[in-house]
Amino acid sequence: MRYVYSALFYLLLPFILLRMLLRSRRAPVYRQRLAERFGWFAPRPDLPRTAVWVHAVSVGETLAAAPLIEHLLQRYPEADIVVTTTTPTGSDRVRSLFGERVFHVYSPWDMPGAVARFFARVKPGLLVVMETELWPNLLHHAQRNQCPVILANARLSARSARGYQRVAGLTAQMMQQLTLVACQSRADGERFVQLGLAADRLQVTGSIKFDIDLDNSLRAEATALKSSWPNAPVLLGSSTHPGEDELLLQALGEVREHHPNALLLLVPRHPERFDGVAALCAREGFNVVRRSSGRPPEAGRDVYLGDTMGELRLLSGVADIAVIGGSFIQHGGQNVLEAAAWGVPVVSGPHMFNFTEITELLTTAGAMRQVADGDELGRCLMEILAAPNVMQAMGEAGEQVVAENRGALARLTALVDERVPGA
């Protein structure tokens, strides 16, 4: 089955390259460092040293993995920590957070030759894959090179499980090649077992995204930022996708009927959309200030566009209500916990299937509300803004949920420590 999959991958390669080229028209970084995607790069130095490989797809997974990577750097100074990403934004975040302290390249595309070259150049003794990145050739070559694989902070929605079930034979083989799955919830774990994972290879550790560190310096920065803004309600559109910015602009117009000075803090998920979203706001008649300009949103401005990378956690700290992107389309939502950790009430659309358990926790506690569509969004925001006691209660409930569910990081690092070669 893997051979059929590999043949299809090779057949699709021209279309993959074309897609990269098309994306590079807006973001030139997508056509840079292409050789790394094929496993061609200078081998890491000090090959005799132990290598621990951490794979994080993009920015969200990189931020989630950052405390684990810091732990590995501090506890195993004699080891090389290799960090791969799939997206340029993830790559930028790795370099910003860790610089030369880690060996960083793009992860290879899942072709036998590319993956084999990667293993030959890196020689990892342990692979930690964040969340749910299951690739047949990657897992095959890890087993072939006697490299244990931990699927960390793993999640598997019912929808994704149905997709894997369509290729049951290939999926079962991948499950057998996983050394350990440290998953976010019992429901996630049951789905992995149903797909073929041995029950004794499953650990329910919780989500490390609850272990959010809002240190004093970050809190002080958020306070200083907010103090430079007009005294007005701030609505955060967090990690928005195409089609959602229009809904938020519509909701802003409705909110402004009762709160004329309300400000929309709009943060698109992907940087190649920054210019397009700014143009959309202008076409709709909204005044925009871009975060990258360095100017605060003075009175009379409508939209503050978060067009910088890695600042969503900071910007969440200046919001009064957060609207979660990826939830008004069939994407499955984005991380809601950064806002909740700040004590910010959360509102989402109906599609939060990538964060089912977290959504249930927050909605049950009263920290989060889900609306059916954009038409309900404006009404919901006005209801919350009209009741300061409700806003406060929602915020406090979110902080409590985050506090009560901390500890997953400690459980995960303990499991990783047990499998670091030579530890």
Side-chain angles (χ1 to χ4, degrees):
M1 187 75 176
R2 184 175 62 86
Y3 294 107
V4 176
Y5 159 83
S6 298
L8 288 173
F9 203 113
Y10 280 116
L11 288 172
L12 291 172
L13 183 58
F15 300 98
I16 296 172
L17 290 169
L18 178 61
R19 183 173 181 269
M20 296 287 282
L21 180 62
L22 292 174
R23 294 193 75 175
S24 72
R25 295 171 64 182
R26 290 187 176 181
V29 288
Y30 276 97
R31 60 175 175 265
Q32 298 169 1
R33 298 165 55 195
L34 275 176
E36 294 178 17
R37 312 277 190 177
F38 293 91
W40 295 111
F41 54 89
R44 72 178 180 88
D46 303 322
L47 275 179
R49 293 176 53 169
T50 298
V52 178
W53 173 14
V54 179
H55 175 59
V57 178
S58 191
V59 173
E61 293 82 4
T62 300
L63 291 174
L68 172 62
I69 296 170
E70 285 288 357
H71 168 83
L72 293 170
L73 287 167
Q74 294 175 20
R75 180 154 183 172
Y76 305 103
E78 75 287 353
D80 283 339
I81 309 303
V82 178
V83 183
T84 60
T85 63
T86 300
T87 67
T89 52
S91 176
D92 290 344
R93 184 57 22 202
V94 170
R95 288 174 164 170
S96 173
L97 289 171
F98 305 108
E100 298 300 317
R101 293 188 296 154
V102 302
F103 180 82
H104 168 64
V105 292
Y106 283 130
S107 60
W109 280 333
D110 199 46
M111 299 176 290
V115 177
R117 281 189 290 273
F118 185 93
F119 272 89
R121 284 165 166 74
V122 172
K123 299 191 183 302
L126 173 66
L127 168 57
V128 180
V129 179
M130 298 303 299
E131 300 199 0
T132 312
E133 277 286 289
L134 299 175
W135 296 102
N137 285 311
L138 176 65
L139 295 179
H140 169 78
H141 281 274
Q143 186 178 60
R144 185 174 180 178
N145 286 272
Q146 299 181 324
C147 175
V149 180
I150 297 176
L151 197 61
N153 204 43
R155 58 184 173 87
L156 186 67
S157 68
R159 181 183 183 185
S160 295
R162 288 193 295 271
Y164 281 114
Q165 191 62 50
R166 295 190 185 100
V167 285
L170 187 61
T171 298
Q173 186 177 41
M174 289 192 293
M175 293 295 133
Q176 293 162 15
Q177 291 165 335
L178 293 169
T179 307
L180 177 71
V181 173
C183 68
Q184 297 185 19
S185 72
R186 177 61 58 186
D188 290 313
E190 290 173 355
R191 294 184 193 111
F192 279 106
V193 172
Q194 289 169 3
L195 290 175
L197 180 73
D200 60 357
R201 296 187 182 187
L202 175 69
Q203 292 282 343
V204 179
T205 54
S207 174
I208 63 176
K209 291 184 177 180
F210 283 103
D211 292 275
I212 298 172
D213 183 19
L214 304 179
D215 58 32
N216 291 334
S217 63
L218 184 66
R219 291 182 181 275
E221 189 177 359
T223 299
L225 183 63
K226 185 67 178 285
S227 68
S228 68
W229 292 12
N231 184 20
V234 177
L235 310 175
L236 170 64
S238 178
S239 295
T240 61
H241 291 250
E244 295 182 317
D245 309 289
E246 294 87 344
L247 298 181
L248 282 158
L249 291 173
Q250 176 184 328
L252 175 64
E254 296 174 16
V255 167
R256 283 191 149 197
E257 294 178 6
H258 300 276
H259 302 274
N261 296 320
L263 176 72
L264 175 60
L265 171 52
L266 189 55
V267 185
R269 173 68 174 171
H270 299 109
E272 59 266 30
R273 296 186 58 241
F274 291 160
D275 291 342
V277 173
L280 168 67
C281 295
R283 285 197 307 271
E284 296 294 324
F286 293 96
N287 295 317
V288 182
V289 175
R290 298 178 70 142
R291 170 73 172 157
S292 59
S293 72
R295 295 184 291 114
E298 62 271 15
R301 292 293 182 177
D302 306 315
V303 178
Y304 189 66
L305 182 64
D307 62 345
T308 53
M309 294 304 299
E311 289 198 309
L312 182 57
R313 184 168 298 180
L314 167 65
L315 296 176
S316 297
V318 302
D320 293 297
I321 304 176
V323 181
I324 305 304
S327 65
F328 290 89
I329 59 172
Q330 289 283 343
H331 177 79
Q334 299 291 164
N335 185 10
V336 300
L337 294 177
E338 288 183 318
W342 281 105
V344 174
V346 176
V347 177
S348 81
H351 306 294
M352 287 293 294
F353 52 78
N354 286 332
F355 298 87
T356 302
E357 288 77 18
I358 291 173
T359 298
E360 289 177 356
L361 282 172
L362 290 172
T363 53
T364 300
M368 176 177 176
R369 293 186 183 181
Q370 281 189 279
V371 298
D373 51 34
D375 291 336
E376 286 189 17
L377 177 59
R379 293 195 296 272
C380 179
L381 295 176
M382 285 188 288
E383 287 175 7
I384 296 172
L385 287 171
N389 59 323
V390 171
M391 287 184 63
Q392 181 178 350
M394 290 181 71
E396 291 174 352
E399 287 184 286
Q400 185 174 350
V401 168
V402 172
E404 290 175 349
N405 287 275
R406 293 183 187 275
L409 179 62
R411 292 187 284 272
L412 175 60
T413 54
L415 293 171
V416 172
D417 288 340
E418 292 175 4
R419 291 161 178 83
V420 172

